[in-house]
Amino acid sequence: TSLDSSIASDGLFHVFIADNKGIVTELSWSNTQQMTTKQLATLGSSVSDINFEYTVDGVSHLYAGTSDGKTHETYWGAGRPLTTDVVLQNIDPVTSIHGLTTEDGIRHVFAGTSTGKVYESYWTPGSGVIISGQFMRVDGQVTSTTFTAT
């Protein structure tokens, strides 16, 4: 079970919740709008961590790591339908995830695992090509990941 949150530029609050059944839900509200609930994805395995990103093109991205060793991206907005893709699979149970789109438009997702492995997947949106590989290894379980482009 995991959660993340964001405040949109229009003042709308978003809370994203993922549970041990693999269900990802968004709650949203503002000072002038009542709370709404929307199911974003069913991932089929317990979600250990999620991370939200809103990109400059108006698209919302929610990255999720699951206990069955997969990383997922759910995205929607700016005319795009709600879509969920598997970014990386067949790794150890994912315990931590973080995604970020760099200024050059390349999307990066880092996934830490229960065995201390950290993977990076990156791609240019629309290219159809995702490059993934083990980025590093630490002793013990990865409990947190973050990535900042400077």
Side-chain angles (χ1 to χ4, degrees):
T1 304
S2 182
L3 65 94
D4 199 1
S5 62
S6 176
I7 300 174
S9 60
D10 62 1
L12 197 64
F13 295 90
H14 300 270
V15 175
F16 304 95
I17 303 163
D19 68 18
N20 61 359
K21 296 178 184 172
I23 298 171
V24 181
T25 304
E26 174 190 22
L27 304 173
S28 59
W29 72 95
S30 73
N31 292 335
T32 60
Q33 292 182 355
Q34 288 188 326
M35 183 179 294
T36 61
T37 303
K38 179 179 181 180
Q39 184 173 321
L40 298 177
T42 301
L43 304 178
S45 182
S46 179
V47 178
S48 51
D49 198 17
I50 57 175
N51 176 244
F52 177 75
E53 175 187 26
Y54 184 78
T55 51
V56 296
D57 58 358
V59 178
S60 296
H61 305 266
L62 191 69
Y63 307 103
T66 55
S67 62
D68 64 352
K70 294 179 184 174
T71 62
H72 305 261
E73 177 195 23
T74 299
Y75 55 95
W76 67 97
R80 291 177 178 87
L82 181 64
T83 304
T84 299
D85 293 323
V86 174
V87 175
L88 179 63
Q89 59 186 346
N90 299 324
I91 61 174
D92 299 318
V94 178
T95 54
S96 180
I97 196 161
H98 190 84
L100 179 77
T101 301
T102 51
E103 286 184 11
D104 57 3
I106 297 175
R107 196 145 297 127
H108 301 262
V109 176
F110 292 88
T113 69
S114 60
T115 59
K117 296 174 185 171
V118 179
Y119 293 87
E120 178 188 18
S121 297
Y122 61 95
W123 65 96
T124 300
S127 69
V129 177
I130 298 174
I131 299 168
S132 297
Q134 186 175 329
F135 185 71
M136 65 179 297
R137 184 181 175 104
V138 298
D139 290 332
Q141 176 176 306
V142 179
T143 57
S144 181
T145 56
T146 191
F147 173 61
T148 303
T150 57

